[in-house]
Amino acid sequence: MLNKFSVYLLGSLSLFFLGVSSFLVGSFFLVWDYVIFMDWEILSMNGCSITMTFLFDWISLVFVGCVFVISSMVIYYSESYMGSDVDRVRFYFLVFLFVMSMMMMIVSPNLMSILIGWDGLGLVSYCLVIYFQNYKSYSAGMLTILTNRVGDVAILLSIAWMLNFGSWHYIFYMGMWDYWEFYLISLIVLAGFTSSAQIPFSSWLPAAMAAPTPVSSLVHSSTLVTAGVYLLIRFSEMLSNFNCSFILALSMMTMFMAGLGANLEFDLSSIIALSTLSQLGLMMSILFLGYPILSFLHLLTHAFFKALLFLCAGVMIHCMNDSQDIRYMGAMTSYLPFTCTCFCISNMSLCGLPFMSGFYSKDLILEAMTGSGYNFFVFLIFFVSIGLTVSYTFRVIYYVMFYNVNMHVCHGYGEDSIMMESMIVLALLAISGGSMLSWLIFSVPELFVLPLHLKLMPLVFIFLGGWLGYEFSSVNLGEFPLSLRFYFISFFSGSMWFMPYFSTFMLYGKSFYLSKMYYEVMDGGWGEYVVSSSPLLFTSSLSKLMNYYQFNNVKIYMMVFVLIFIFSLI
């Protein structure tokens, strides 16, 4: 029988080799422009067939390869991180189910089979968010699954809508446009917005940090939150016929709001969660501007460095006895040198520092946006959001690594060899993944001819944001930090523009009041009097009848059998 370590190791190795082979096959499909379409009909009724369909093209295979490679490293990391957990094998199988649901969603060009993977992601993510069983986890799990239910309902409605047209294969409707496709694409955008936590559904993403750190690494890099972006990339040809100004504004507001909130947050996990939200807004924005391949490129490069960032943060939180406040960290380079190196690599890639992985996608996105001819508001929000990203990144680096030694006593600092090995592969991908993917995806160099000041603008905002991040975080003794000097603004921005309040008790408070009134009128009112306290002895007669049925069900069954036999003879 396999012991627990070999279960993790076997799963990690098999996923790693599957991911590398999928990536190589996807590269071959990309070079030779090759597609495999597999269709398996399960049921056909009234001209409408239920089919299980798989679409293997370069987008699906490259994405599956990246998801599998990241998942293999996360599972290998979990062997050490979850080592003291009693139910770590159950945790392993839940993570494996999570990855398989994402794979099912990626390779499906059919809304029926997409729903299987989509629902699998929602249900397994709920099980993983409530894995540490406490009230905070339960409330975060309910917020996560109920928000994602909205996206499930949107996909179910789009399935019902496509029932009118003979097939659930969305690839059949890509090259056409009719008035009814407005409703279909609206439902798909709603589903993508709930899964990718865009405004107004943003509050579940920081709440989902209640899950174990390896799960957060998967959720925020390559699985649940990227499912909505991937779905909209697949539907991008229909989006090109659609006026995307309003949903573009929502995505840009998400990007700006998350970047602003992360600059005023002191919880390490929440900062990285808001960073994910900011990058998702960037992917959605460039997708609605009409560049789906650029969005896909940033989706892949972001997956590499964000998974690494979460694994490094997990080691730091592990060493700090599960304390996540960056004000109690500092001078960690002396104790965790390798982890801090990987932390810096992932953060530099997130900033878009030249020739790191994130630079190749972010620089192209900014140049494409600059040359797209949109208005000054779009231009301003994009560049300010890039500056905010660099600002909160340098703030975190300053607090965690170079700030004063503020930690509590009795902390056991030590780097685990298993955790370090899993980080090495992701660090290499965070450095070289962007250049590799951009050389692979773009067969000819992408050239945007812009004036010199526009070409240098991304670099100017990167370095300006880094300087601002340092200035905001450096506080002398006896001074108030900037967030306390402007408390209302910092409270408003740090609480995600009050969106968690809107998503929770502001939404269901009135419903609770209504249900309380109904309870008092129905269950505690005349319904209670008529059914329970009735002078007609309605309840007692009903209970006697039920007792007779329960305790004599074999007799009743035999009587019914005999009667049916007699009637059949007659």
Side-chain angles (χ1 to χ4, degrees), residues 30-302:
L30 174 60
V31 171
W32 294 101
D33 198 16
Y34 195 67
V35 178
I36 293 178
F37 188 87
M38 296 168 63
D39 212 354
W40 173 39
E41 187 175 299
I42 299 170
L43 176 68
S44 181
M45 184 182 294
N46 296 335
C48 191
S49 60
I50 295 176
T51 55
M52 178 63 72
T53 317
F54 298 107
L55 175 66
F56 296 104
D57 62 346
W58 73 268
I59 292 182
S60 61
L61 283 168
V62 167
F63 194 23
V64 164
C66 293
V67 169
F68 278 0
V69 167
I70 292 169
S71 307
S72 66
M73 292 300 108
V74 168
I75 287 171
Y76 188 55
Y77 174 93
S78 304
E79 194 279 323
S80 174
Y81 190 87
M82 306 295 290
S84 59
D85 191 40
V86 180
D87 301 314
R88 56 186 180 275
V89 174
R90 181 179 67 184
F91 173 79
Y92 162 73
F93 282 112
L94 279 172
V95 171
F96 191 73
L97 269 174
F98 197 55
V99 176
M100 289 301 112
S101 300
M102 187 65 192
M103 187 209 72
M104 188 74 198
M105 191 252 156
I106 291 169
V107 298
S108 299
N110 183 310
L111 277 181
M112 289 291 273
S113 46
I114 277 177
L115 189 66
I116 298 170
W118 192 276
D119 264 344
L121 282 172
L123 292 172
V124 180
S125 68
Y126 175 70
C127 296
L128 287 166
V129 169
I130 65 165
Y131 187 80
F132 297 136
Q133 297 179 13
N134 52 50
Y135 286 114
K136 184 187 175 188
S137 299
Y138 293 152
S139 55
M142 287 307 294
L143 181 59
T144 302
I145 196 167
L146 290 177
T147 309
N148 282 289
R149 284 294 99 184
V150 178
D152 295 343
V153 169
I155 289 189
L156 282 168
L157 287 173
S158 48
I159 285 172
W161 190 266
M162 290 174 85
L163 193 66
N164 301 317
F165 306 104
S167 173
W168 284 300
H169 294 321
Y170 62 77
I171 53 172
F172 293 162
Y173 308 117
M174 288 295 107
M176 56 183 286
W177 181 255
D178 202 357
Y179 70 93
W180 57 268
E181 294 207 9
F182 169 78
Y183 304 104
L184 176 64
I185 202 67
S186 302
L187 290 169
I188 296 297
V189 167
L190 175 62
F193 265 46
T194 54
S195 176
S196 295
Q198 304 296 295
I199 287 176
F201 306 107
S202 303
S203 56
W204 72 262
L205 192 63
M209 297 299 301
T213 302
V215 175
S216 301
S217 176
L218 267 182
V219 165
H220 288 254
S221 64
S222 56
T223 50
L224 183 61
V225 295
T226 55
V229 181
Y230 179 79
L231 187 69
L232 287 172
I233 288 170
R234 285 297 196 184
F235 276 87
S236 57
E237 286 188 35
M238 289 171 76
L239 280 169
S240 60
N241 300 307
F242 187 64
N243 184 7
C244 300
S245 302
F246 176 66
I247 45 181
L248 170 65
L250 288 179
S251 299
M252 289 193 309
M253 285 295 101
T254 307
M255 178 169 61
F256 178 70
M257 176 266 296
L260 202 58
N263 274 290
L264 298 160
E265 184 63 63
F266 288 103
D267 188 317
L268 182 60
S269 296
S270 296
I271 291 170
I272 304 175
L274 288 168
S275 156
T276 304
L277 193 54
S278 173
Q279 300 306 304
L280 287 169
L282 180 63
M283 293 172 213
M284 285 285 196
S285 303
I286 199 65
L287 175 62
F288 294 132
L289 281 173
Y291 299 95
I293 301 301
L294 277 184
S295 178
F296 183 65
L297 176 62
H298 190 59
L299 179 66
L300 297 179
T301 55
H302 170 260

